[in-house]
Coordinates of all heavy atoms in Angstrom, one line a residue:
M343 N -17.4 87.7 195.8 CA -17.1 89.1 195.6 C -15.7 89.2 195.1 O -14.9 88.3 195.4 CB -17.3 89.9 196.9 CG -17.2 91.4 196.7 SD -18.8 92.0 196.3 CE -18.4 93.7 196.0
G344 N -15.3 90.3 194.5 CA -13.9 90.5 194.0 C -12.9 90.7 195.1 O -13.3 90.9 196.3
Q345 N -11.7 90.6 194.8 CA -10.6 90.8 195.8 C -9.9 92.1 195.4 O -9.9 92.5 194.3 CB -9.7 89.6 195.8 CG -9.0 89.4 194.4 CD -8.2 88.1 194.4 OE1 -8.2 87.3 195.4 NE2 -7.4 87.9 193.4
D346 N -9.1 92.6 196.4 CA -8.3 93.8 196.2 C -7.1 93.5 195.3 O -6.4 92.5 195.6 CB -7.9 94.4 197.5 CG -9.0 95.1 198.3 OD1 -10.0 95.5 197.6 OD2 -8.9 95.2 199.5
V347 N -6.9 94.3 194.3 CA -5.8 94.1 193.4 C -5.1 95.5 193.3 O -5.7 96.5 193.2 CB -6.3 93.6 192.0 CG1 -5.1 93.5 191.0 CG2 -7.0 92.3 192.1
H348 N -3.7 95.4 193.2 CA -3.0 96.7 193.0 C -3.1 97.1 191.6 O -2.9 96.3 190.7 CB -1.5 96.5 193.4 CG -1.3 96.4 194.8 ND1 -1.2 97.5 195.7 CD2 -1.1 95.3 195.7 CE1 -1.0 97.1 196.9 NE2 -1.0 95.8 196.9
C349 N -3.4 98.3 191.4 CA -3.6 99.0 190.1 C -2.2 99.5 189.6 O -1.4 99.9 190.5 CB -4.4 100.2 190.3 SG -6.0 100.3 189.5
P350 N -1.9 99.6 188.3 CA -0.7 100.2 187.9 C -0.6 101.6 188.3 O 0.5 102.1 188.5 CB -0.8 100.1 186.4 CG -1.8 99.1 186.1 CD -2.7 99.0 187.2
S351 N -1.7 102.3 188.6 CA -1.6 103.7 189.0 C -1.3 103.8 190.5 O -1.2 104.9 191.0 CB -3.0 104.4 188.7 OG -4.0 103.7 189.5
G352 N -1.1 102.7 191.2 CA -0.7 102.8 192.5 C -1.8 102.6 193.6 O -1.5 102.4 194.7
G353 N -3.0 102.6 193.2 CA -4.1 102.4 194.1 C -4.6 101.0 194.2 O -4.0 100.1 193.5
L354 N -5.6 100.7 194.9 CA -6.3 99.4 195.0 C -7.6 99.5 194.3 O -8.3 100.5 194.4 CB -6.5 99.0 196.5 CG -5.3 98.5 197.3 CD1 -5.7 98.3 198.7 CD2 -4.7 97.3 196.7
H355 N -8.0 98.4 193.7 CA -9.4 98.4 193.2 C -9.9 97.0 193.4 O -9.1 96.0 193.6 CB -9.4 98.8 191.7 CG -8.9 97.8 190.8 ND1 -7.6 97.7 190.5 CD2 -9.5 96.9 190.0 CE1 -7.4 96.7 189.6 NE2 -8.5 96.2 189.3
Q356 N -11.2 96.8 193.3 CA -11.8 95.5 193.4 C -11.7 94.8 192.1 O -11.9 95.3 191.0 CB -13.3 95.6 193.8 CG -13.6 96.0 195.2 CD -13.3 94.9 196.1 OE1 -13.7 93.8 195.9 NE2 -12.6 95.2 197.2
D357 N -11.2 93.5 192.1 CA -11.1 92.7 190.9 C -12.4 92.0 190.7 O -12.7 91.0 191.4 CB -10.0 91.7 191.1 CG -9.8 90.8 189.9 OD1 -10.3 91.2 188.8 OD2 -9.1 89.8 190.0
H358 N -13.2 92.5 189.8 CA -14.5 91.9 189.5 C -14.5 91.0 188.3 O -15.5 90.5 187.9 CB -15.6 93.0 189.3 CG -15.8 93.9 190.5 ND1 -16.5 93.4 191.6 CD2 -15.4 95.1 190.8 CE1 -16.5 94.4 192.5 NE2 -15.9 95.4 192.0
E359 N -13.3 90.7 187.8 CA -13.2 89.9 186.6 C -13.8 88.5 186.8 O -14.5 88.1 185.9 CB -11.7 89.8 186.2 CG -11.5 89.2 184.9 CD -10.1 89.2 184.4 OE1 -9.5 90.3 184.4 OE2 -9.6 88.1 184.2
K360 N -13.7 87.9 187.9 CA -14.2 86.6 188.1 C -15.7 86.7 188.3 O -16.4 85.7 188.1 CB -13.6 86.0 189.4 CG -12.2 85.6 189.1 CD -11.5 85.0 190.3 CE -10.1 84.6 190.0 NZ -9.2 84.8 191.0
D361 N -16.3 87.8 188.7 CA -17.7 88.0 188.9 C -18.4 88.3 187.6 O -19.6 88.2 187.5 CB -18.0 89.1 189.9 CG -17.4 88.8 191.2 OD1 -17.2 87.6 191.6 OD2 -17.0 89.8 192.0
S362 N -17.6 88.7 186.6 CA -18.2 89.2 185.3 C -18.8 88.0 184.5 O -18.1 87.0 184.4 CB -17.1 89.9 184.5 OG -17.6 90.2 183.2
P363 N -20.0 88.2 183.9 CA -20.5 87.1 183.1 C -19.7 86.9 181.8 O -19.8 85.9 181.2 CB -21.9 87.6 182.7 CG -21.9 89.1 183.0 CD -20.9 89.3 184.0
M364 N -18.9 87.9 181.4 CA -18.1 87.8 180.2 C -16.9 86.9 180.3 O -16.3 86.5 179.4 CB -17.7 89.2 179.7 CG -18.8 90.1 179.2 SD -19.7 89.4 177.9 CE -18.5 89.5 176.6
T365 N -16.5 86.6 181.6 CA -15.4 85.8 181.8 C -15.7 84.4 182.4 O -15.0 83.8 183.1 CB -14.4 86.5 182.8 OG1 -15.1 86.7 184.0 CG2 -13.9 87.8 182.2
S366 N -16.9 83.9 182.0 CA -17.3 82.6 182.4 C -16.5 81.5 181.7 O -15.7 81.8 180.8 CB -18.8 82.4 182.2 OG -19.0 82.3 180.8
D367 N -16.7 80.3 182.1 CA -16.1 79.2 181.5 C -16.7 78.8 180.2 O -16.1 77.9 179.5 CB -16.1 77.9 182.4 CG -15.2 78.1 183.7 OD1 -14.3 78.9 183.6 OD2 -15.5 77.5 184.7
A368 N -17.8 79.4 179.8 CA -18.4 79.2 178.5 C -17.4 79.6 177.4 O -16.7 80.6 177.5 CB -19.7 79.9 178.4
P369 N -17.4 78.8 176.3 CA -16.6 79.2 175.2 C -16.9 80.6 174.6 O -18.1 80.9 174.5 CB -16.8 78.1 174.1 CG -18.0 77.3 174.6 CD -18.2 77.7 176.0
R370 N -15.9 81.4 174.2 CA -16.2 82.7 173.7 C -16.5 82.6 172.2 O -15.9 81.8 171.5 CB -14.9 83.5 173.9 CG -14.6 83.8 175.3 CD -13.4 84.7 175.5 NE -13.7 86.0 174.9 CZ -12.8 86.9 174.8 NH1 -11.6 86.7 175.2 NH2 -13.1 88.1 174.2
M371 N -17.4 83.4 171.7 CA -17.8 83.4 170.3 C -16.6 84.0 169.5 O -16.1 85.0 169.9 CB -19.0 84.2 170.1 CG -19.5 84.1 168.7 SD -21.1 85.0 168.5 CE -22.2 83.8 169.1
Q372 N -16.2 83.3 168.5 CA -15.2 83.7 167.6 C -15.8 84.4 166.4 O -16.7 83.8 165.8 CB -14.3 82.6 167.2 CG -13.6 81.9 168.4 CD -12.5 82.7 169.0 OE1 -11.8 83.4 168.3 NE2 -12.5 82.8 170.3
F373 N -15.2 85.5 165.9 CA -15.6 86.2 164.8 C -14.5 86.3 163.7 O -13.4 86.4 164.1 CB -16.1 87.6 165.1 CG -17.3 87.7 165.9 CD1 -17.2 87.7 167.3 CD2 -18.6 87.7 165.3 CE1 -18.4 87.8 168.1 CE2 -19.7 87.7 166.1 CZ -19.6 87.8 167.5
L374 N -14.9 86.2 162.5 CA -14.0 86.2 161.4 C -14.2 87.5 160.5 O -15.4 87.9 160.4 CB -14.1 85.0 160.5 CG -13.9 83.6 161.2 CD1 -14.3 82.5 160.2 CD2 -12.5 83.5 161.6
T375 N -13.2 88.0 159.9 CA -13.4 89.2 159.0 C -13.9 88.6 157.7 O -13.8 87.4 157.4 CB -12.1 89.9 158.8 OG1 -11.2 89.0 158.1 CG2 -11.5 90.4 160.1
V376 N -14.3 89.5 156.8 CA -14.8 89.1 155.5 C -13.6 88.5 154.7 O -13.7 87.5 154.1 CB -15.4 90.3 154.7 CG1 -15.6 90.0 153.3 CG2 -16.7 90.7 155.4
A377 N -12.4 89.0 154.9 CA -11.2 88.5 154.2 C -10.9 87.1 154.7 O -10.5 86.2 153.9 CB -10.1 89.5 154.4
E378 N -11.0 86.9 156.0 CA -10.7 85.6 156.6 C -11.7 84.5 156.1 O -11.4 83.4 155.7 CB -10.7 85.6 158.1 CG -9.6 86.4 158.7 CD -9.7 86.6 160.1 OE1 -10.8 86.7 160.7 OE2 -8.6 86.8 160.8
V379 N -13.0 84.9 156.0 CA -14.1 84.0 155.5 C -13.8 83.7 154.0 O -13.8 82.5 153.6 CB -15.5 84.6 155.6 CG1 -16.5 83.8 154.9 CG2 -15.8 84.8 157.1
A380 N -13.4 84.7 153.2 CA -13.1 84.5 151.8 C -11.9 83.5 151.7 O -11.9 82.7 150.8 CB -12.8 85.8 151.1
E381 N -10.9 83.7 152.5 CA -9.8 82.8 152.5 C -10.1 81.3 152.8 O -9.7 80.4 152.1 CB -8.7 83.3 153.4 CG -7.4 82.5 153.4 CD -6.4 83.1 154.3 OE1 -6.4 84.3 154.7 OE2 -5.5 82.3 154.8
V382 N -11.0 81.2 153.8 CA -11.4 79.8 154.2 C -12.2 79.2 153.1 O -12.0 78.0 152.7 CB -12.2 79.9 155.5 CG1 -12.9 78.5 155.7 CG2 -11.4 80.2 156.7
M383 N -13.1 79.9 152.5 CA -14.0 79.4 151.4 C -13.3 79.4 150.1 O -13.9 78.8 149.1 CB -15.3 80.3 151.4 CG -16.1 80.1 152.6 SD -17.6 81.2 152.5 CE -18.5 80.4 151.2
R384 N -12.1 80.1 149.9 CA -11.5 80.2 148.6 C -12.3 80.9 147.6 O -12.5 80.4 146.5 CB -11.0 78.8 148.1 CG -10.2 78.0 149.0 CD -8.8 78.5 149.0 NE -7.9 77.4 149.1 CZ -6.6 77.5 148.9 NH1 -6.1 78.5 148.4 NH2 -5.8 76.4 149.1
V385 N -12.9 82.0 148.0 CA -13.7 82.8 147.1 C -13.3 84.3 147.3 O -12.5 84.6 148.2 CB -15.3 82.7 147.4 CG1 -15.7 81.3 147.2 CG2 -15.6 83.1 148.8
S386 N -13.8 85.2 146.5 CA -13.5 86.6 146.7 C -14.2 87.2 147.8 O -15.2 86.7 148.3 CB -13.8 87.3 145.4 OG -15.2 87.4 145.2
K387 N -13.7 88.3 148.3 CA -14.4 89.1 149.3 C -15.8 89.5 148.9 O -16.8 89.5 149.6 CB -13.6 90.3 149.8 CG -12.4 89.9 150.5 CD -11.7 91.1 151.2 CE -11.2 92.1 150.3 NZ -10.5 93.2 150.9
M388 N -15.9 89.8 147.6 CA -17.2 90.3 147.0 C -18.3 89.1 147.2 O -19.4 89.4 147.5 CB -17.1 90.7 145.6 CG -18.4 91.2 145.0 SD -19.1 92.6 145.9 CE -17.9 93.9 145.6
T389 N -17.8 87.9 147.0 CA -18.8 86.8 147.1 C -19.2 86.7 148.6 O -20.4 86.5 148.8 CB -18.1 85.4 146.7 OG1 -17.7 85.5 145.3 CG2 -19.0 84.2 146.9
V390 N -18.3 86.9 149.5 CA -18.7 86.9 150.9 C -19.7 88.0 151.2 O -20.7 87.8 151.9 CB -17.5 86.9 151.8 CG1 -17.9 87.0 153.3 CG2 -16.6 85.8 151.6
Y391 N -19.4 89.2 150.7 CA -20.3 90.3 150.9 C -21.7 90.0 150.3 O -22.7 90.4 150.9 CB -19.8 91.6 150.3 CG -18.7 92.3 151.1 CD1 -17.4 92.4 150.6 CD2 -19.0 92.8 152.4 CE1 -16.4 93.1 151.3 CE2 -18.0 93.4 153.1 CZ -16.7 93.5 152.6 OH -15.8 94.2 153.3
R392 N -21.8 89.4 149.2 CA -23.1 89.0 148.6 C -23.8 88.1 149.5 O -25.0 88.2 149.6 CB -22.8 88.4 147.2 CG -22.5 89.4 146.1 CD -22.5 88.8 144.7 NE -21.9 89.6 143.8 CZ -20.7 89.4 143.2 NH1 -20.1 88.2 143.3 NH2 -20.2 90.2 142.3
L393 N -23.1 87.1 150.0 CA -23.8 86.1 150.9 C -24.3 86.8 152.2 O -25.4 86.5 152.7 CB -22.8 85.0 151.3 CG -22.4 84.0 150.2 CD1 -21.2 83.2 150.7 CD2 -23.5 83.2 149.8
V394 N -23.5 87.8 152.7 CA -23.9 88.5 153.9 C -25.2 89.4 153.6 O -26.2 89.3 154.3 CB -22.8 89.4 154.4 CG1 -23.3 90.4 155.5 CG2 -21.7 88.5 155.0
H395 N -25.1 90.1 152.5 CA -26.2 91.0 152.1 C -27.5 90.3 151.7 O -28.6 90.8 152.0 CB -25.8 92.0 151.0 CG -24.8 93.0 151.4 ND1 -25.2 94.1 152.3 CD2 -23.5 93.2 151.2 CE1 -24.1 94.8 152.5 NE2 -23.1 94.3 151.8
S396 N -27.3 89.1 151.2 CA -28.5 88.3 150.8 C -29.1 87.6 152.1 O -30.2 87.1 152.0 CB -28.2 87.2 149.8 OG -27.4 86.2 150.3
G397 N -28.4 87.6 153.2 CA -28.9 86.9 154.4 C -28.5 85.4 154.5 O -28.9 84.8 155.4
E398 N -27.8 84.9 153.4 CA -27.4 83.5 153.5 C -26.4 83.2 154.5 O -26.3 82.1 155.0 CB -26.9 83.1 152.1 CG -27.9 83.1 151.0 CD -27.3 82.6 149.7 OE1 -26.9 81.5 149.6 OE2 -27.3 83.5 148.8
L399 N -25.5 84.2 154.8 CA -24.5 84.1 155.8 C -24.6 85.2 156.8 O -24.5 86.3 156.5 CB -23.1 84.2 155.1 CG -21.9 84.0 156.0 CD1 -21.8 82.6 156.6 CD2 -20.6 84.3 155.2
P400 N -25.0 84.8 158.1 CA -25.2 85.8 159.1 C -23.9 86.5 159.4 O -22.8 85.9 159.4 CB -25.7 84.9 160.3 CG -26.1 83.6 159.8 CD -25.3 83.4 158.5
A401 N -24.1 87.8 159.7 CA -22.9 88.6 160.1 C -23.3 89.7 161.1 O -24.5 90.0 161.2 CB -22.3 89.2 158.9
V402 N -22.4 90.3 161.7 CA -22.6 91.4 162.7 C -21.9 92.6 162.1 O -20.7 92.5 161.6 CB -22.0 91.0 164.1 CG1 -22.1 92.2 165.0 CG2 -22.6 89.8 164.6
R403 N -22.6 93.7 162.1 CA -22.0 95.0 161.6 C -21.2 95.6 162.8 O -21.7 95.8 163.8 CB -23.1 95.9 161.1 CG -22.6 97.2 160.5 CD -22.3 96.9 159.0 NE -21.6 98.1 158.4 CZ -22.1 98.7 157.4 NH1 -23.2 98.4 156.8 NH2 -21.4 99.7 156.9
V404 N -19.9 95.9 162.5 CA -19.1 96.5 163.5 C -18.5 97.8 162.9 O -17.6 97.7 162.0 CB -17.9 95.6 164.0 CG1 -17.1 96.3 165.1 CG2 -18.4 94.3 164.6
G405 N -19.1 98.9 163.2 CA -18.7 100.1 162.5 C -19.0 100.0 161.0 O -20.2 99.8 160.7
K406 N -18.0 100.2 160.2 CA -18.3 100.1 158.7 C -18.0 98.7 158.2 O -18.1 98.5 157.0 CB -17.4 101.1 158.0 CG -17.9 102.5 158.3 CD -17.1 103.5 157.5 CE -17.5 104.9 157.7 NZ -16.8 105.9 156.9
S407 N -17.5 97.8 159.0 CA -17.2 96.4 158.5 C -18.1 95.4 159.1 O -18.9 95.6 160.0 CB -15.7 96.1 158.8 OG -15.4 96.4 160.1
Y408 N -17.9 94.2 158.6 CA -18.7 93.0 159.0 C -17.8 92.0 159.7 O -16.7 91.8 159.3 CB -19.4 92.4 157.8 CG -20.5 93.2 157.3 CD1 -20.3 94.0 156.2 CD2 -21.8 93.1 157.8 CE1 -21.3 94.8 155.6 CE2 -22.8 93.9 157.2 CZ -22.6 94.7 156.2 OH -23.6 95.5 155.6
R409 N -18.4 91.3 160.6 CA -17.7 90.1 161.3 C -18.7 89.0 161.2 O -19.9 89.1 161.5 CB -17.4 90.4 162.7 CG -16.3 91.5 162.9 CD -15.0 91.1 162.3 NE -14.0 92.1 162.5 CZ -13.7 93.1 161.7 NH1 -14.4 93.2 160.6 NH2 -12.7 94.0 162.0
V410 N -18.2 87.8 160.8 CA -19.0 86.6 160.7 C -18.7 85.7 161.8 O -17.5 85.3 162.0 CB -18.7 85.9 159.3 CG1 -19.5 84.6 159.2 CG2 -19.0 86.9 158.1
P411 N -19.7 85.3 162.6 CA -19.4 84.3 163.6 C -18.9 83.0 163.0 O -19.4 82.5 162.0 CB -20.8 84.1 164.3 CG -21.6 85.3 163.9 CD -21.1 85.7 162.5
Q412 N -17.9 82.4 163.6 CA -17.3 81.2 163.1 C -18.3 80.1 163.0 O -18.3 79.3 162.1 CB -16.1 80.8 164.0 CG -15.3 79.7 163.4 CD -14.0 79.5 164.2 OE1 -13.9 79.8 165.3 NE2 -13.0 79.0 163.5
E413 N -19.2 80.0 164.0 CA -20.2 79.0 164.0 C -21.2 79.1 162.8 O -21.6 78.2 162.2 CB -21.0 79.0 165.3 CG -20.3 78.5 166.5 CD -21.1 78.6 167.8 OE1 -22.3 78.9 167.7 OE2 -20.5 78.2 168.8
A414 N -21.4 80.4 162.4 CA -22.3 80.7 161.3 C -21.7 80.2 160.0 O -22.3 79.6 159.1 CB -22.7 82.2 161.2
L415 N -20.4 80.4 159.9 CA -19.6 79.9 158.7 C -19.7 78.4 158.6 O -19.9 77.8 157.6 CB -18.2 80.5 158.7 CG -17.3 79.9 157.5 CD1 -17.9 80.3 156.2 CD2 -15.9 80.4 157.7
Q416 N -19.4 77.8 159.7 CA -19.4 76.3 159.8 C -20.8 75.8 159.4 O -20.9 74.8 158.7 CB -19.0 75.8 161.2 CG -17.5 76.1 161.4 CD -17.1 75.9 162.9 OE1 -18.0 75.8 163.8 NE2 -15.8 75.8 163.2
A417 N -21.8 76.4 159.9 CA -23.2 76.0 159.6 C -23.5 76.2 158.1 O -24.1 75.3 157.5 CB -24.2 76.7 160.5
Y418 N -23.1 77.3 157.6 CA -23.3 77.6 156.2 C -22.6 76.5 155.3 O -23.2 76.0 154.4 CB -22.8 79.0 155.8 CG -22.9 79.2 154.3 CD1 -24.1 79.6 153.7 CD2 -21.8 79.1 153.5 CE1 -24.2 79.8 152.4 CE2 -21.9 79.3 152.1 CZ -23.1 79.7 151.6 OH -23.2 79.9 150.2
L419 N -21.4 76.2 155.6 CA -20.6 75.3 154.8 C -21.2 73.9 155.0 O -21.3 73.1 154.0 CB -19.1 75.3 155.2 CG -18.4 76.5 154.9 CD1 -17.0 76.5 155.5 CD2 -18.3 76.8 153.4
A420 N -21.6 73.5 156.2 CA -22.2 72.2 156.4 C -23.5 72.0 155.6 O -23.8 71.0 155.0 CB -22.5 72.0 157.9
S421 N -24.3 73.1 155.5 CA -25.6 73.0 154.8 C -25.4 73.1 153.2 O -26.3 72.9 152.5 CB -26.5 74.1 155.2 OG -26.1 75.4 154.8
S422 N -24.2 73.5 152.8 CA -23.9 73.7 151.4 C -23.3 72.5 150.7 O -23.0 72.5 149.5 CB -23.0 74.9 151.2 OG -23.7 76.0 151.7
Y423 N -23.0 71.4 151.4 CA -22.4 70.2 150.8 C -23.4 69.6 149.8 O -24.6 69.6 150.0 CB -22.1 69.2 151.9 CG -20.8 69.4 152.6 CD1 -20.7 70.1 153.8 CD2 -19.6 69.0 152.0 CE1 -19.5 70.3 154.4 CE2 -18.4 69.2 152.6 CZ -18.4 69.9 153.8 OH -17.2 70.1 154.4
I424 N -22.8 69.1 148.7 CA -23.7 68.5 147.7 C -23.4 67.0 147.7 O -22.4 66.5 148.1 CB -23.4 69.1 146.3 CG1 -21.9 68.9 145.9 CG2 -23.8 70.5 146.2 CD1 -21.7 69.2 144.4
D425 N -24.5 66.3 147.3 CA -24.4 64.8 147.2 C -24.7 64.5 145.8 O -25.8 64.5 145.4 CB -25.4 64.2 148.2 CG -25.4 62.7 148.2 OD1 -24.3 62.1 147.8 OD2 -26.4 62.1 148.6
G426 N -23.6 64.2 145.0 CA -23.8 64.0 143.6 C -24.3 65.2 142.9 O -23.7 66.3 143.0
D427 N -25.5 65.2 142.2 CA -26.0 66.3 141.5 C -27.1 67.1 142.4 O -27.7 68.0 141.9 CB -26.7 65.9 140.2 CG -25.7 65.4 139.2 OD1 -24.5 65.8 139.4 OD2 -26.0 64.7 138.2
R428 N -27.3 66.6 143.6 CA -28.3 67.2 144.4 C -27.7 67.9 145.6 O -26.8 67.4 146.2 CB -29.3 66.1 144.9 CG -30.0 65.5 143.7 CD -30.8 64.3 144.1 NE -31.2 64.3 145.5 CZ -32.1 63.5 146.1 NH1 -32.5 62.5 145.4 NH2 -32.4 63.6 147.3
L429 N -28.3 69.0 146.0 CA -27.9 69.7 147.2 C -28.4 68.9 148.4 O -29.5 68.4 148.4 CB -28.5 71.1 147.3 CG -27.8 72.1 146.3 CD1 -28.6 73.5 146.4 CD2 -26.4 72.4 146.7
S430 N -27.6 68.9 149.5 CA -28.0 68.1 150.7 C -29.0 68.9 151.6 O -29.6 68.4 152.5 CB -26.8 67.7 151.5 OG -26.2 68.9 152.0
S431 N -29.2 70.2 151.3 CA -30.1 71.0 152.2 C -31.6 71.0 151.7 O -32.0 70.5 150.7 CB -29.7 72.4 152.3 OG -29.5 73.0 151.0

């Protein structure tokens, strides 16, 4: 169970942070903006939007913008390597 922690407002509250599933030792998922993905791939933001809209690059909609899971970008790039004149996928 949580422990009592002093609040900035002067009261006490239970510290449930350690009990929360969001603060486990598991690695946190990292998300990239479309601009960050474009920078990593050395392409335009429009190219990234096309990949997202076509379903080739998974993304999460946050409000009016998109976020791409870093693992999804790594998987996309790994599957896009070419071997000579043939695609490796």
Side-chain angles (χ1 to χ4, degrees):
M343 188 91 186
Q345 61 185 9
D346 287 337
V347 176
H348 287 279
C349 245
S351 62
L354 285 176
H355 75 277
Q356 286 286 316
D357 181 14
H358 295 287
E359 190 172 303
K360 290 181 178 139
D361 300 330
S362 171
M364 294 300 292
T365 58
S366 69
D367 290 335
R370 295 180 63 185
M371 185 176 279
Q372 299 289 319
F373 292 92
L374 302 170
T375 65
V376 168
E378 291 169 333
V379 172
E381 184 178 333
V382 168
M383 294 178 65
R384 302 281 214 166
V385 298
S386 71
K387 291 191 298 185
M388 185 54 69
T389 298
V390 177
Y391 282 117
R392 284 188 195 114
L393 291 170
V394 167
H395 287 291
S396 71
E398 292 181 66
L399 183 62
V402 176
R403 185 86 190 237
V404 181
K406 293 183 178 181
S407 49
Y408 290 95
R409 296 294 183 267
V410 177
Q412 190 169 24
E413 289 179 3
L415 175 60
Q416 291 169 345
Y418 174 80
L419 292 174
S421 70
S422 297
Y423 277 97
I424 59 170
D425 184 22
D427 290 341
R428 297 171 25 173
L429 288 173
S430 63
S431 54

